[in-house]
Amino acid sequence: MSDTNNQGSQSQHIHYHDPNAKFDPPERLIKNAHIKSFTQYQQMYEQSINDPELFWSQIAEQFHWESQSSGQFLDYNFDVRKGPIFIKWMEGARTNISFNMLDRNVEKGLGDKVAFYWEGNDPGDHGKITYQELLEKVCMFSNVLKGLGIKKGNRVAIYMPMIVELVICMLACARIGAVHSIVFAGFSAESLSDRILDANCCAIATADGVWRGSKLLNLKSIVDKALEICKEKGKPVATCIVVRHMSVLSEEASSDSNNVGEAPDESPVGKRPCKKLKINWQPGRDHWWSDLMKTADKNCDPEWVDAEDPLFMLYTSGSTGKPKGVLHTVAGYMLYAAATTKYVFDLQPDDIYWCTADIGWITGHTYVCYGPLGNGVSGIIFEGTPFYPDAGRFWAVIEKYKVTKFYTAPTAIRSLMKFEDNFVTKYNRSSLRILGTVGEPINPEAWLWYHRVVGNSECAIVDTFWQTETGGHVITPLPAATKTKPGSATFPFFGIVPAILSDEGKEITGPGEGYLVFKQPWPGIMRTVFGNHERFEITYFKKFPGYYTTGDGAKRDEEGYLWITGRIDDMVNVSGHLLSTAEVESALQEHDAVSEAASVSHPHHIKGECIYCFVTLKEASHLGELFNDELVKELTAAVRQKIGPFAQPDFIQNAPALPKTRSGKIMRRILRKIAVNDRDIGDTSTLADETVIDTLFKLRPKDA
Ligand code: WTA
């Protein structure tokens, strides 16, 4: 990614970086750190993998268990040859995660401590909520859910902006044993309906709308469309709860006096009024959050659930194109979220911890909500974007709240380092201690800028590798213990046993590169794909029996450091959002003019990767006329509409034919070469027709 050097930044970019250069843990972190040295890490690591039961039962001691298990602490099968895959931690023990996040902290005397600061999209909009207040709201909303007939095990969809009600809703589901299924509020109506239908959700919670930067999104209208699709498919959703975030009612809504009217401001946080938003209202189905909360009781006993009962599901792209509902269970996820947050961010009681991820993704689940609350720290929920009102927003928020631990994505870092360093340095960042990154490989230039400019060369950088499926960090430095190398996620977290496999499935023990797999379960690993256990086994356990396969490649260097090399399946990581190429292709294929489409990953200097599509039109003979800018616009819109704006392809090229093997399989390896204009395409002997390659090179878009 060397072109980041040419983007006009005022900082002195390092043009050459020695991949073995190491950064020591900052001296000032060590004294109070939970893990003070690499030796201490190694000792604890050995214990965690040799005696997982002892290690994790010690961590479990800080939580409340309504009753203990009489059975095995850990029971599992990781080998498809021996029977079905299963993973069970503490089965038979009973607990409740909302109790552990809230009541337990209040009992410990943290009632008046701020659980979350809320920072709105607009810098003037902010608020806060204490642990005691959050507990009260969660109890009230739990009673609301119960009043609507929602029971243990039911699935509740959540499609919300980054507001405190989102966390209230998650914890209320958990309190009554319902399973939340959050869909990032950037997905289209169609994607949302797919997820609601797959999970068979009985209710959805949303907000009227939200500002994202200077763009207004009418979330309720997207939900309306999604619910319309569910109804058409014979699975209507009975209940839709709407948070009034924008504060202006539509004429249609206000004309129905039974359901709306002047709802009191029940939100714990500020609002940004908007005169433009109109929403529709379906009496009977739609309820204002604030109306329901008005009469709700402030006490709600938690439902004591089994350690292995489901907590939530979260969809992630699958290589077949159909998203997978990754299912996490209560106890293991709780232990793992809390332990990784504590050790990787070296949490201290006075921390102000800020993870910028949207709760709609796994990073937000674990490191905005459950991890920080499990440790009783004060976190920040940020509704805005890094660029609004300008590219200094992140650093302004850090100054405003005196943030100590900050966690964001390489794509944000890369896009912010294009601006003058002054955008960062004009804000006081002296509170910062640890800077984290997640979601995609971070290039050394971005790592070094983050370290030097944002962190003033005084902070530890933690490059955390993990997945929706892993529940929490699996490969990561520990800030006061691990010497870091820019671009390397370094070493495994407690309980994680990584291996690198060759194509033949042989473990590469020394330095080398191959498939990244894990050899034994940790508490936070997913338990199944919702409604499709076979797909869970095939996706993660079939290729290399006996191992969990991540789908990522990794290399181990001479010193044992692990470097993630990226996905090795048909997945594209766009700005840290995983998409399957099949998903994009099927959106393109729905266009009338398209006969066939193939999409591949293409490097992008900000997003890390972007999507490059090859499209074969139905009437190949009229190609010249048919394939024009207008069509490209339509195809782009089709992908945005089908999946969501973040999935928009960067390049769409005309492909009169696609390179295929004699058996008809598209050779994506060749398409990837064409996308980057690399003529060194290697062996083409299996191609059915070699002439297509030349044509495709000629038809590359000029800006690609
Ligand atoms: C990628 C996000 C390199 C990887 C938590 C993984 C990373 C996928 C890193 C999971 C990292 C995540 N270095 N690659 N530090 N973190 N990835 O499920 O390809 O949205 O498989 O979870 O992101 O994406 P997901």
Side-chain angles (χ1 to χ4, degrees), residues 210-249:
V210 66
W211 285 96
R212 204 163 279 153
S214 47
K215 239 170 76 191
L216 176 65
L217 301 179
N218 188 328
L219 299 180
K220 174 66 163 62
S221 75
I222 298 172
V223 170
D224 286 341
K225 257 185 240 154
L227 296 187
E228 201 46 48
I229 299 172
C230 296
K231 200 166 131 198
E232 277 163 21
K233 298 206 168 156
K235 282 194 189 170
V237 174
T239 303
C240 174
I241 303 166
V242 188
V243 174
R244 200 147 68 91
H245 186 47
M246 311 299 309
S247 62
V248 168
L249 304 179

Side-chain angles (χ1 to χ4, degrees), residues 83-331:
I85 302 294
F86 70 93
I87 303 122
K88 290 174 177 170
W89 289 86
M90 303 181 74
E91 196 183 29
R94 296 178 84 71
T95 189
N96 182 289
I97 198 169
S98 127
F99 185 91
N100 276 298
M101 306 283 114
L102 302 171
D103 312 56
R104 184 184 56 102
N105 283 322
V106 171
E107 280 167 18
K108 281 199 317 201
L110 300 181
D112 293 334
K113 185 168 182 172
V114 171
F116 288 111
Y117 292 95
W118 178 75
E119 172 77 6
N121 181 64
D122 198 280
D125 258 6
H126 50 88
K128 58 185 173 200
I129 186 164
T130 64
Y131 274 90
Q132 175 64 46
E133 289 164 344
L134 186 58
L135 169 61
E136 197 174 291
K137 298 277 182 210
V138 168
C139 285
M140 289 168 74
F141 198 63
S142 302
N143 287 323
V144 164
L145 293 176
K146 283 205 244 176
L148 290 164
I150 295 161
K151 295 193 173 61
K152 178 172 183 242
N154 289 166
R155 270 84 56 209
V156 176
I158 305 179
Y159 188 76
M160 274 203 200
M162 286 289 281
I163 53 178
V164 174
E165 286 86 345
L166 169 50
V167 170
I168 295 173
C169 193
M170 295 164 83
L171 294 171
C173 288
R175 196 165 189 89
I176 67 168
V179 179
H180 58 74
S181 175
I182 303 181
V183 180
F184 169 62
F187 275 107
S188 65
E190 206 167 316
S191 295
L192 173 59
S193 68
D194 284 347
R195 286 158 177 76
I196 297 173
L197 289 167
D198 186 77
N200 212 349
C201 294
C202 61
I204 181 165
T206 187
D208 44 6
V210 66
W211 285 96
R212 204 163 279 153
S214 47
K215 239 170 76 191
L216 176 65
L217 301 179
N218 188 328
L219 299 180
K220 174 66 163 62
S221 75
I222 298 172
V223 170
D224 286 341
K225 257 185 240 154
L227 296 187
E228 201 46 48
I229 299 172
C230 296
K231 200 166 131 198
E232 277 163 21
K233 298 206 168 156
K235 282 194 189 170
V237 174
T239 303
C240 174
I241 303 166
V242 188
V243 174
R244 200 147 68 91
H245 186 47
M246 311 299 309
S247 62
V248 168
L249 304 179
S250 76
E251 281 133 38
E252 300 92 299
S254 46
S255 66
D256 176 45
S257 55
N258 289 332
N259 281 281
V260 285
E262 260 320 292
D265 180 8
E266 273 294 340
S267 167
V269 297
K271 290 184 196 300
R272 189 179 194 281
C274 166
K275 302 278 177 216
K276 276 184 271 173
L277 192 75
K278 292 234 170 194
I279 62 166
N280 292 312
W281 201 257
Q282 191 170 307
R285 184 195 71 185
D286 297 349
H287 310 267
W288 286 114
W289 171 288
S290 47
D291 281 351
L292 296 170
M293 290 287 266
K294 244 186 278 184
T295 51
D297 191 340
K298 292 190 168 70
N299 295 299
C300 176
D301 289 337
E303 173 91 27
W304 300 114
V305 297
D306 191 277
E308 279 299 334
D309 274 337
L311 171 63
F312 69 84
M313 44 199 292
L314 179 59
Y315 284 86
T316 183
S317 292
S319 53
T320 59
K322 187 174 152 36
K324 306 181 286 261
V326 169
L327 190 93
H328 284 285
T329 55
V330 176

Side-chain angles (χ1 to χ4, degrees), residues 43-54 495 497 520:
Q43 283 163 355
M44 284 176 70
Y45 176 73
E46 287 304 319
Q47 188 212 23
S48 75
I49 62 168
N50 295 329
D51 194 348
E53 167 152 2
L54 178 66
V497 187
Q520 62 188 49

Side-chain angles (χ1 to χ4, degrees), residues 529-555:
V529 169
F530 182 82
N532 197 343
H533 196 68
E534 193 188 355
R535 188 161 178 214
F536 170 62
E537 297 182 330
I538 292 172
T539 312
Y540 305 101
F541 293 94
K542 199 85 182 259
K543 187 170 173 73
F544 300 115
Y547 302 95
Y548 165 87
T549 304
T550 59
D552 284 287
K555 64 173 191 262

